[in-house]
Amino acid sequence: AVSMAEFVAGSETEFVKLMNQKAQKLGMKHTHFKNCNGLDDSISSGHYSSAYDVALMSRELITKHPEISKYSTTWMDKITHKTKKGEKEFGLTNTNKLIRWYDGATGLKTGSTGNAKYCLSATADKNGMELIAVIMAAPDNKSRFSEAIKLLDYGYANYAVVSGAKKGDSAEKYL
C-alpha cells in the first residue's frame, strides 16, 4: 500500500490527503485516514471509519469500477514469481468465503487487524438488485460471514426493485 501511495502521490502523507479528500467528496462523514493501510491504527490516533461510510466507499467502487468484480469474485488463482534463481508458482485463495457460500455474491473486501477485529464489505446481486452488507469488529472470521448473510438475506426478503412509470405513460395504467 505504501509503495502504491508513493507512486500515485509521491509520498504516503500526500496520498492520505487524497484519501481524505475523496472520503469527503463521497459524503463519508465519519471517516478519517491517518495512513494508507489502516493496520492497527485506533480511533484515538484519528484513523476511523463507520459501516455506513464503508458502504458508501464500496458503492463507489462497484458502480464506477465494475471490473473489480472480476477480481473480487475469483475464488482461486495462481501467480508466477520470477527471480534470478528461477520461477516459483504461488496459489492464491480469496479470503471472502461468501464467494463460494452465498448465491449472488460479487465481492468485495475482507480485512482483519488486532484492533479492528474481523471486517467485511460484502456485495451481492440477485434479480437485478445489488446489496452491500458491512460488518465491522466481528469477534471471529466465521461471524463476519454469518452476519453478512443475515443482512443480505434480510434485504432480499424485504425489498425489491420496481420499475416506475415510463415517459408518456398514463397514470391510469398504474391505478
Side-chain angles (χ1 to χ4, degrees):
V2 173
S3 294
M4 182 208 52
E6 291 172 347
F7 177 80
V8 170
S11 71
E12 182 179 12
T13 301
E14 289 303 310
F15 188 78
V16 170
K17 286 180 187 175
L18 295 174
M19 290 171 64
N20 285 313
Q21 289 170 2
K22 184 66 171 188
Q24 290 300 304
K25 185 178 175 186
L26 293 176
M28 297 168 65
K29 296 177 182 173
H30 303 286
T31 295
H32 188 264
F33 300 109
K34 293 297 275 187
N35 63 47
C36 64
N37 57 43
L39 293 177
D40 277 331
D41 265 332
S42 63
I43 293 172
S44 62
S45 77
H47 191 102
Y48 55 87
S49 192
S50 69
Y52 181 79
D53 285 0
V54 171
L56 289 175
M57 184 173 23
S58 299
R59 182 183 66 188
E60 177 78 0
L61 182 59
I62 64 175
T63 59
K64 299 281 174 60
H65 305 281
E67 65 276 10
I68 190 69
S69 70
K70 175 183 173 187
Y71 305 103
S72 64
T73 59
T74 300
W75 176 243
M76 297 180 86
D77 204 352
K78 297 178 204 167
I79 59 169
T80 303
H81 180 67
K82 297 178 183 180
T83 67
K84 292 177 184 177
K85 295 181 180 181
E87 295 182 2
K88 188 172 185 179
E89 194 169 82
F90 291 93
L92 302 171
T93 303
N94 195 329
T95 57
N96 183 354
K97 307 303 181 206
L98 294 187
I99 299 304
R100 294 203 30 143
W101 296 346
Y102 195 79
D103 182 40
T106 58
L108 184 65
K109 174 74 176 89
T110 63
S112 62
T113 68
N115 287 339
K117 303 206 179 352
Y118 293 88
C119 303
L120 171 66
S121 177
T123 56
D125 188 342
K126 289 184 183 182
N127 301 321
M129 184 167 62
E130 294 180 90
L131 296 180
I132 300 169
V134 177
I135 305 300
M136 298 176 82
D140 55 63
N141 188 40
K142 194 173 181 180
S143 295
R144 70 174 158 189
F145 297 117
S146 63
E147 293 302 313
I149 288 170
K150 289 177 191 175
L151 286 173
L152 293 169
D153 283 349
Y154 180 88
Y156 287 116
N158 291 284
Y159 296 91
V161 175
V162 294
S163 298
K166 293 179 178 48
K167 186 177 180 179
D169 280 354
S170 168
E172 292 175 5
K173 180 179 178 180
Y174 297 96
L175 296 177

